[in-house]
Amino acid sequence: MQKIFMILILLFGMASAWAAVNINTASIQQLQSLPYIGAIKAQAIVDYRNTHGSFHSTKDIMRVKGIGKATYEKLQNDISVSGESVNPAVSASKYRRALPATAVR
């Protein structure tokens, strides 16, 4: 019984790690949890969304100033245009370079 319970917990944990951030509803903080998206690009995504409406496909994010094909290709598996936004920090952590222990975040 414990093995089944542990398997279910692992499967649930993996599903949330694979979940994407909905670029149509995500907050600036959720957008910043994506690899290669900092405060300026996150704000640009929200501003674009407020001005032009919802993104119809994930490729539409390339219309945001500062997000080109290379960035899109790195993000495409972590973003969506539907569903609930889930923080992908677990999967995104592999993209962020380590900072020295004395660095201020």
Side-chain angles (χ1 to χ4, degrees):
M1 187 67 168
Q2 281 184 330
K3 287 182 182 181
I4 293 172
F5 182 70
M6 290 302 292
I7 290 171
L8 289 173
I9 289 174
L10 287 172
L11 289 174
F12 180 75
M14 287 189 309
S16 64
W18 289 327
V21 170
N22 181 339
I23 58 175
N24 284 324
T25 61
S27 67
I28 290 175
Q29 291 78 19
Q30 288 170 319
L31 291 166
Q32 285 181 305
S33 72
L34 290 165
Y36 312 104
I37 300 295
I40 293 171
K41 285 185 183 176
Q43 185 64 55
I45 292 168
V46 171
D47 291 344
Y48 182 92
R49 194 172 66 196
N50 290 338
T51 302
H52 298 93
S54 297
F55 295 98
H56 298 290
S57 77
T58 57
K59 288 184 178 185
D60 289 345
I61 199 167
M62 288 188 286
R63 295 180 180 168
V64 176
K65 184 177 180 180
I67 300 178
K69 184 177 180 181
T71 303
Y72 170 72
E73 288 174 354
K74 295 171 188 171
L75 289 175
Q76 66 184 344
N77 295 323
D78 292 326
I79 59 175
S80 72
V81 292
S82 64
E84 183 178 342
S85 284
V86 177
N87 186 341
V90 173
S91 63
S93 64
K94 67 182 178 184
Y95 296 106
R96 302 201 189 273
R97 64 180 169 89
L99 294 174
T102 58
V104 178
R105 291 184 183 239

